[in-house]
Amino acid sequence: MLELDAEHVHNLSKRVKELSGDDVTHCIQCGKCSGGCTVAPDMEEIPSRIMRFIQLNMKERALTSSMVWTCSSCLTCTARCPEGIDIAKVMNVLRMMCLAEGYTPKEKHIHVFNRLFIDMIKKYGRVYELGLMVQNNMMAMTPFRDIGLLPAILKKRKIGLLPHKVKALGEVKELFKKGQTFYKRMKVEGWK
Amino acid sequence: MTESSHHENIELLTYSEVIDVKGFVGNFDVTIRMRPRSVDMSRCTGCGDCLTKCPAKVPSEADQGLGTRRAIYKPFSNAVPNVPVIDRDHCIYFTKGKCQICQKVCKAGAINYEQEETIRTEKFGAIIVATGFSLFDISKYGEYGGGRYKDVITGLQLERMIDPNGPTGGRLVRPSDGKPAKSVVFVQCVGSRDEVKGMAYCSKVCCMYTAKQAILLKDHFPETQSYVFYIDIRATGKNYEEFILRAQREYGVVYLRGRVSKIHDPGDKLEVYGADTLAGESVKINADLVVLASAMVPNPDARDLARMLNIPYDSYGFYSEIHPKLQPVESITRGMFIAGACTFPKDIPDSVMMGSAAAAKVCTLFAADELTVEPKLAEVAVDKCVGCFNCVDVCPYDAIQKDTVSGRNVARVIQTLCQGCGNCASTCRSGALDVKGFTDKAIYAQISAPFEADEEEENAYAGA
Ligand SMILES: Cc1cc2nc3c(=O)[nH]c(=O)nc-3n(C[C@H](O)[C@H](O)[C@H](O)COP(=O)(O)OP(=O)(O)OC[C@H]3O[C@@H](n4cnc5c(N)ncnc54)[C@H](O)[C@@H]3O)c2cc1C
Ligand code: SF4
Ligand code: SF4
Ligand code: SF4
């Protein structure tokens, strides 16, 4: 049962607004985001319900939902919301809060993939596909998954054997630094 | 009200009641009972000295029982006229024979215990009925503790509480202990949209006044947090939807989509159990005050009044118009108009609109030199009428009167009242009544025509 009290009821929506700039209290629960969402049909909770969890300060439900991780950031919802809420961005913020506040991500593998992806961008300024595949398989403890596809992909030069760095890596690093400053300013504790 | 009390063409008859209406459009004989105020209107200066000195205290009707008034009282601070009235059922002098304090304190010598009821009958050309509504009795909701829990009140009681001239001087308190109320839960549709305990209809105004009240609370008492349990929000007027959004966004009112199931009073705060179906979660809120938006229902005496005035009403007791779209302020009785919440729940703008429309209809009626009526009226063939007067009983418009012609009792149709429904014609045993254009003879001819044609055709075939 959800217990509401005046002191806390607006906490989560305020926090989400701080971090994303989006005021989820404006959501009118029309469901248009959920209706177009590419992954919602397979989810227990749909995007509009996640917005409702935020409105009612149901932090745990919002942060530990699968939907938050399966969101593919396709932005369909964002493009269609009649209240102009950037739902995909809100999902991003929820993922961030989930980690920062020590909740276990409901979709571990997606989280791992995201982590590796971001680390790679930080390092090379772009994805090193082979490395990402191998690392991801190792982390998921399925080292040989999709191994059969490798020769064909290499032969067709879909991915390279060695990592490549982008020229302006400095600028990429700068972006990450900006991000760090934002998190610090917003007091997102525990976020690396 | 004050303005109309000064208008040269308006006479306000307060503390009075219509007890009988006879006649028809342009010629209504209205009998009015004017109850004894026990205060001489011509002498009273409205100083209010008596109001504070009277020792008899009674729960105030206008304040919905949240405060008290004296036995000599004005219903509310800006009542028109500004003259008090003695409630004889609670006045110590009238019940026990002594006291008379008000008479002693009244410098104008306006108190008159001897005043008597007067009955006056006057002619009026038209009547507008605008008797308003009552509130659904919340004690029918045992699960909300309505009537038992002091801190569970109606929207109207809250309305009184937030009035600076109201029983709490405009303070938002818990009636149980007078402490400030901080957490307020509003419950919508109490008695509305409930086919088991209440009315099937939507009361139309409560969504909006609840939002208004929640906004006012936040404005006047910033430390309050309001929650509104609703089924769906009905905000269909001009700027209404925006108003609801303001309540939610600017004033932080938390709307929960669900009906409250139970209110429990463990001693200190009320525990409100409901659900938010949007989140799919049951909800509990500890509240200082719970405000029930009780349904707007017809007055308890609405049916009696309607029968006296001869205006029809629906299954709830709301007065019926001739046509909901094209003749919304006219009752079937010519010259009798209806307006406001006595016809169905509505807000002030809608009530004012209906009142203005009814007044304009009356002006149109009075401006014409002649009344036009539909040609299909009932007509009595005096030679056939035997004076049984069965027709008088069946006429829904009271359009038939008893008359005498050359010493014989016969029926007479009042043309301005008859609507040509034909009830009388089908009841009259001696065939004396017919509706013009729909006489029995004409109807029989129409019915038999097809059969006659058949006969002709048959003959034609037989001849071939
Ligand atoms: C809690 C609450 C809050 C509301 N807030 C708003 C709001 O903010 N805005 C809004 O637009 N609307 C609001 N409304 C709705 C508003 O009250 C009605 O729309 C309005 O009162 C209807 O006006 P009326 O004149 O038809 O009826 P009423 O206001 O009920 O007036 C009828 C009058 O007739 C008198 N009467 C009854 N029977 C007789 C009789 N037999 N003889 C002589 N007199 C008689 C009554 O004493 C009464 O004075 C609210 C309603 C409620 C319950
Ligand atoms: S951005 Fe995420 S939530 Fe929005 S539609 Fe795409 S997958 Fe669904
Ligand atoms: S589309 Fe926008 S307003 Fe509609 S439910 Fe989704 S977030 Fe809320
Ligand atoms: S106006 Fe709103 S609260 Fe009132 S009965 Fe209708 S839906 Fe319910």
Side-chain angles (χ1 to χ4, degrees), chain B residues 38 46 95 128 161 251 259 323 354 378 380 385 396 403 412 453 460:
Chain B
S38 315
T95 51
I128 299 176
M161 219 193 257
Y251 293 85
R259 214 163 187 150
H323 191 288
M354 275 188 101
V380 183
C385 175
D403 199 6
R412 186 168 68 89

Side-chain angles (χ1 to χ4, degrees), chain B residues 228-248:
Chain B
V228 179
F229 281 92
Y230 70 100
I231 307 179
D232 44 36
I233 297 296
R234 311 233 159 148
T236 56
K238 189 172 176 177
N239 294 327
Y240 283 15
E241 177 69 14
E242 296 89 322
F243 190 77
I244 299 279
L245 294 180
R246 263 179 62 205
Q248 295 173 345

Side-chain angles (χ1 to χ4, degrees), chain B residues 182-199:
Chain B
K182 299 225 163 103
S183 164
V184 182
V185 171
F186 290 89
V187 186
Q188 310 252 264
C189 308
V190 178
S192 306
R193 309 175 71 192
D194 181 341
E195 291 181 56
V196 174
K197 282 194 182 157
M199 311 295 172

Side-chain angles (χ1 to χ4, degrees), chain A residues 1-6 9-10 25-26 28-29 49 52-53 56 58 61 83, chain B residues 225 227 249 252 254-257 273 276-285:
Chain A
M1 180 179 303
L2 168 67
E3 290 205 27
L4 290 180
D5 65 80
V9 65
H10 299 298
T25 62
H26 282 220
I28 53 172
Q29 287 290 298
R49 183 159 277 189
R52 188 64 179 155
F53 291 159
L56 295 185
M58 297 167 72
R61 288 289 289 281
E83 293 293 335
Chain B
Q225 174 64 52
Y227 306 86
R249 294 168 184 179
V254 176
Y255 274 72
L256 298 153
R257 204 225 151 266
Y273 295 92
D276 180 71
T277 60
L278 297 170
E281 192 80 1
S282 58
V283 175
K284 180 187 163 200
I285 297 171

